Amino acid sequence: MIQIFLQTLPFFALIGLGYGAGKTRFFTEEATAVLTKFVFYFALSAMLFRFSANLSLTEVFDLRFVIAYLWGTAFIYGIATAVSFLRGLSVEEAAIEAQCAVIGNVGFLGIPMLVMLLGEQAIAPVMLVLAVDLIVFGSLIVILITGARDGRVSIGILRTVGLGLLKNPMIVSICVGLTWSALQVPIPDPLNDFVSILGAAATPGALFAIGASLASKSAERLTVAGWLSFCKLILHPAAVAFGALVLFPVEPYAAGVMIAAAALPVAGNVYILAQHYGVAPHRVSASILISTAFSIFTVSAVIAWISGF
């Protein structure tokens, strides 16, 4: 456990460095937004393209893996939604809270950290978790919020969801990389060097951006944020573990990567959605802050546990 904690510490130290730069205003909110955009559209996309271009679709897609992850995630999504309704919240607020309970920072934190800690063979399962989060649950929250406001699910909502997926650089880069791989065309050395150099900026840039963005987050509504953080850091990986190890047994290494990905703190894009729709942004902000702080210990514990698989 101590050894794993020391291995994860540099990643969280980079987040801490970004947090300090943001808190002291040495790195302004405007600078954080620009850095986040660079990582999201360029560095992380280059990393995902390089990873996926060296994989085949058969290596990435595993139906049993998807079912196990979907079951565990949907189970906690349902619990968080039920608790929200018991508290008398609207469909929109329930959808946002459920998103906090199950959507982790796989893109900015999971891909760089888990691939480095668990080896390059973690690339395929981590990308599959990311794809399920973006395609299934990223679409679901838009449908629920927009449908609740319009009173029905229309073709326009589905069009919005589809365009959102097509414009997401992470989805696009994975699809382009897998297509390149399927064509069995070797990546030219200059292109490979280009995406390698650009992709190398993803890890430090993403972690620093996470920390800097946390500096502007508030810690209001601690009770609710604490509950959502507990769902994300403890209940979600536990449910995914039950799905992957008991209900729909997945190959042990892939199951371990899936569980580690499920243990990641609340993703920053949930806050972007909350702000965009004007639904509980402070609650989401506090959940991201609290879950990221405690994940230093919980993620280390989970990785130490799965290392024994």
Side-chain angles (χ1 to χ4, degrees):
M1 171 65 187
I2 297 298
Q3 184 180 358
I4 297 296
F5 174 74
L6 293 175
Q7 287 180 309
T8 61
L9 195 58
F11 295 92
F12 289 104
L14 274 169
I15 294 175
L17 182 65
Y19 181 82
K23 203 67 177 173
T24 57
R25 299 288 297 168
F26 181 81
F27 217 73
T28 63
E29 289 186 36
E30 292 75 16
T32 301
V34 171
L35 176 60
T36 301
K37 187 174 288 189
F38 165 73
V39 172
F40 187 58
Y41 285 96
F42 298 98
L44 191 57
S45 295
M47 175 187 279
L48 289 171
F49 169 78
R50 185 171 65 86
F51 284 165
S52 54
N54 289 292
L55 296 169
S56 65
L57 185 59
T58 54
E59 288 179 290
V60 175
F61 189 76
D62 179 341
L63 183 59
R64 184 177 287 270
F65 183 103
V66 171
I67 292 172
Y69 181 73
L70 271 175
W71 183 90
T73 304
F75 184 73
I76 302 305
Y77 195 99
I79 289 176
T81 301
V83 170
S84 299
F85 284 152
L86 286 172
R87 290 169 30 231
L89 301 184
S90 64
V91 171
E92 296 100 304
E93 288 178 296
I96 285 289
E97 289 197 357
Q99 203 81 353
C100 286
V102 299
I103 301 302
N105 209 333
V106 179
F108 274 39
L109 178 59
I111 290 175
M113 185 171 72
L114 297 181
V115 171
M116 278 196 177
L117 293 178
L118 302 176
E120 290 211 352
Q121 61 269 42
I123 293 170
V126 172
M127 287 203 304
L128 195 50
V129 167
L130 178 63
V132 172
D133 282 349
L134 291 173
I135 295 171
V136 178
F137 295 98
S139 302
L140 181 59
I141 188 171
V142 175
I143 292 170
L144 287 173
I145 292 178
T146 311
R149 290 181 176 179
D150 294 348
R152 62 190 178 91
V153 177
S154 64
I155 295 297
I157 295 174
L158 300 180
R159 188 184 300 115
T160 300
V161 169
L163 287 174
L165 292 174
L166 289 174
K167 291 179 180 178
N168 190 302
M170 290 191 285
I171 291 290
V172 171
S173 55
I174 290 173
C175 290
V176 171
L178 289 174
T179 302
W180 192 295
S181 173
L183 294 173
Q184 296 184 329
V185 178
I187 301 178
D189 288 339
L191 176 60
N192 191 56
D193 291 342
F194 170 74
V195 293
S196 296
I197 293 169
L198 182 57
T203 300
L207 297 175
F208 190 94
I210 291 171
S213 65
L214 287 176
S216 62
K217 301 286 187 290
S218 65
E220 298 174 17
R221 298 180 179 267
L222 293 181
T223 303
V224 176
W227 156 246
L228 296 176
S229 298
F230 177 73
C231 286
K232 187 67 208 70
L233 300 178
I234 307 297
L235 297 185
H236 188 213
V240 167
F242 187 71
L245 302 176
V246 180
L247 293 181
F248 312 97
V250 175
E251 185 273 321
Y253 177 81
V257 176
M258 183 200 306
I259 296 164
L264 295 169
V266 180
N269 64 353
V270 183
Y271 179 74
I272 295 172
L273 285 168
Q275 270 199 320
H276 176 72
Y277 289 109
V279 182
H282 294 298
R283 204 175 314 165
V284 176
S285 171
S287 302
I288 294 171
L289 188 61
I290 292 171
S291 64
T292 302
F294 280 98
S295 68
I296 299 173
F297 308 102
T298 57
V299 169
S300 299
V302 169
I303 293 176
W305 176 57
I306 65 167
S307 296
F309 286 10

